[in-house]
Amino acid sequence: MPVLAAAVAGFLARGDLNVWSDVDVVVVSNALAERVPERSALLAADAPAGVQAVGYTREEFRRALGRGDPLATSAVREGAILRGGGFFRGIARGTDR
């Protein structure tokens, strides 16, 4: 699956991970399945225990950020960028189209 961008977000990115926290990984790809069950299954297939990958298309990520979604906001503000740093910087500046 081609990935536009990926970042560790949430508790771990903010540095307040505790024993009950999972590791949230934001994945942005336009190749994700439209239906949530298929999308979730694909992203969880090879994820180790305690890692939760949440997928967005480029447009879904923009909308999520626009409505203040905590995970999308965390990925942009304090996320540990795994791939696509230019995407996250561009979207933060409003220049990613």
Side-chain angles (χ1 to χ4, degrees):
M1 169 177 62
V3 174
L4 299 171
V8 174
F11 293 110
L12 184 60
R14 286 191 301 274
D16 57 357
L17 185 72
N18 63 51
V19 70
W20 298 281
S21 302
D22 58 1
V23 176
D24 295 312
V25 179
V26 171
V27 177
V28 181
S29 173
N30 287 330
L32 291 168
E34 282 189 45
R35 296 189 63 231
V36 173
E38 288 88 1
R39 183 181 290 197
S40 297
L42 174 68
L43 293 170
D46 294 322
V51 174
Q52 178 182 1
V54 179
Y56 301 87
T57 64
R58 180 188 299 256
E59 284 304 314
E60 289 168 347
F61 189 82
R62 279 193 192 116
R63 287 193 302 269
L65 194 59
R67 68 176 181 271
D69 177 88
L71 200 55
T73 301
S74 174
V76 171
R77 288 190 181 161
E78 68 255 347
I81 307 302
L82 304 172
R83 181 179 200 141
F87 170 81
F88 288 115
R89 285 188 300 276
I91 209 142
R93 291 188 308 261
T95 60
D96 177 71
R97 299 286 172 227

